[in-house]
Amino acid sequence: MIKIGNLTYQQLKEKFRIKSPWDLIIIFVLNILITIPIFIIAHHNLITLDWANHVDRILLFFVILLVIQLILRAMRRITLISVILYLVVIIYGSLFSNYGFKNVFEDYRTMIYTMNEDPFPQDIIISKLLPFPNKSKILDAIEYQNPKIRNFAIMATSKHFKEVKGYQDYFTIIQSFAVFKEINTNWNYVSDPKGRDYIAKATESLQYLSGDCDDHSIFMAACIKSIGGTTRLIHTKGHIYPELYIGDKKDLEKINYAIKMILFPLESKNKIINYHIDERGNIWLNLDYTAKYPGGPFMNEEILGALTLE
């Protein structure tokens, strides 16, 4: 018979055994704690089937819950040890790595929010894209290295969302939203001269925050690019508007929650987040002058051309 100190192996197992019904309660609580991070990982990495009312995600959660429950019940005699090990791992993650209690909570909250408040995707059909009109003139007009443009962008980041916490990984995107807010709050739409397509440089638009859609797009792109953001211009029939690159599906969940609950709650209330997905799976939010919040409704959904500013 195996002995550890003065206790036999059997006595040691009995010592750590939790009596019913507490063992079942602890197993279920531990199951929930384990299932949530596993579900978040699976949700981010498995293909979304896009079933109605997110039935595929709900089914995935319950499958994981059931499997973990069966495993924990099979090892119920060492449930206490399992609880201790779980807590050690999550506490270690909280203190010494980048993923702990707070991260699990934030990821789960944003994921559930996105499942309830679906963003609205629009795919771009690459084969139908045409050459971008006035491409060279527009690129020349995006004066992102001009100190006046950068100073305006810096002013906007100091004025809006400076105190927002918990989005360190999306620092540049939050600052880009600050630029969007400053420009779109103050933009004055002015048409081009009759019969002529006038393209204003970013520094021209800066003086009065005025111009038409291509002037707005050029100015927005220049300001955001001057602080490290990535934008592109979208050409539709008779219209041009800017979009902001935010990342992939996982990033969209975070940004969707930030826009609707923290940054633009009034402007986006009861509205959806509109975005495009490119051929690489990258997600781009609409920043049109007509939008009151990032991801506002598109004026025209038929895309004719796209100009990405690397």
Side-chain angles (χ1 to χ4, degrees):
M1 181 179 295
I2 299 174
K3 295 189 69 175
I4 302 175
N6 295 322
L7 297 174
T8 64
Y9 175 70
Q10 188 64 32
Q11 290 172 329
L12 189 64
K13 281 203 308 183
E14 291 298 322
K15 189 176 183 64
F16 281 101
R17 182 181 179 185
I18 300 171
K19 300 188 181 299
S20 185
W22 292 106
D23 58 342
L24 297 178
I25 294 173
I26 291 176
I27 284 174
F28 182 75
V29 172
L30 182 61
N31 187 4
I32 295 296
L33 292 173
I34 293 173
T35 297
I36 287 175
I38 292 177
F39 173 58
I40 291 170
I41 294 170
H43 169 72
H44 287 156
N45 291 281
L46 296 180
I47 296 173
T48 302
L49 300 179
D50 291 324
W51 292 356
N53 300 316
H54 300 287
V55 173
D56 57 324
R57 302 291 97 174
I58 295 171
L59 184 61
L60 174 64
F61 180 84
F62 281 106
V63 167
I64 295 173
L65 188 73
L66 177 61
V67 171
I68 299 297
Q69 182 74 9
L70 292 175
I71 293 173
L72 290 178
R73 291 201 62 164
M75 49 190 291
R76 69 163 61 191
R77 289 184 180 274
I78 55 171
T79 299
L80 183 58
I81 296 175
S82 301
V83 173
I84 293 172
L85 288 176
Y86 179 85
L87 292 176
V88 166
V89 169
I90 203 74
I91 289 172
Y92 177 85
S94 299
L95 296 176
F96 302 107
S97 71
N98 296 322
Y99 203 80
F101 282 111
K102 184 177 180 180
N103 304 91
V104 171
F105 173 74
E106 289 293 332
D107 280 350
Y108 189 71
R109 182 181 66 174
T110 53
M111 178 190 63
I112 294 300
Y113 182 81
T114 296
M115 289 174 66
N116 292 329
E117 299 287 340
D118 275 335
F120 187 71
Q122 290 286 325
D123 292 327
I124 294 180
I125 303 175
I126 301 299
S127 60
K128 291 187 176 182
L129 296 188
L130 302 173
F132 205 88
N134 299 313
K135 179 177 178 179
S136 59
K137 288 183 179 180
I138 288 175
L139 289 175
D140 288 340
I142 301 174
E143 305 166 294
Y144 68 94
Q145 297 192 67
N146 189 297
K148 292 180 181 179
I149 297 300
R150 179 168 165 80
N151 286 341
F152 174 88
I154 291 173
M155 177 277 293
T157 64
S158 299
K159 186 175 177 180
H160 306 291
F161 313 139
K162 189 176 179 180
E163 305 302 322
V164 172
K165 305 295 183 183
Y167 286 85
Q168 293 84 354
D169 293 341
Y170 303 96
F171 179 75
T172 301
I173 292 176
I174 299 298
Q175 290 195 326
S176 298
F177 288 165
V179 170
F180 165 87
K181 185 176 181 69
E182 183 64 20
I183 294 175
N184 278 28
T185 300
N186 298 287
W187 189 259
N188 177 40
Y189 185 90
V190 177
S191 300
D192 284 342
K194 188 174 182 180
R196 182 185 171 195
D197 191 11
Y198 183 84
I199 297 176
K201 290 183 178 292
T203 47
E204 288 183 68
S205 299
L206 171 62
Q207 187 171 3
Y208 295 109
L209 292 182
S210 299
D212 68 354
C213 60
D214 52 56
D215 301 329
H216 171 271
S217 299
I218 288 167
F219 184 56
M220 182 77 74
C223 290
I224 290 177
K225 189 171 176 60
S226 76
I227 58 170
T230 300
T231 59
R232 68 178 183 180
L233 304 187
I234 297 296
H235 172 226
T236 66
K237 189 175 182 180
H239 185 53
I240 292 177
Y241 62 90
E243 290 187 326
L244 176 67
Y245 168 72
I246 64 163
D248 57 20
K249 178 182 175 182
K250 179 179 68 175
D251 303 307
L252 176 63
E253 289 181 355
K254 292 276 192 178
I255 296 304
N256 180 43
Y257 184 87
I259 291 171
K260 303 203 73 176
M261 299 300 290
I262 301 172
L263 306 176
F264 297 87
L266 296 179
E267 298 90 337
S268 64
K269 186 177 181 180
N270 299 323
K271 297 180 175 66
I272 59 175
I273 301 297
N274 296 272
Y275 64 95
H276 285 124
I277 307 172
D278 67 19
E279 72 279 9
R280 299 182 184 89
N282 298 319
I283 292 174
W284 303 80
L285 284 187
N286 175 27
L287 300 183
D288 203 341
Y289 78 92
T290 59
K292 303 301 182 184
Y293 59 94
F298 298 114
M299 278 188 64
N300 191 324
E301 295 180 1
E302 184 183 1
I303 293 176
L304 303 178
L307 177 60
T308 302
L309 309 174
E310 300 294 344

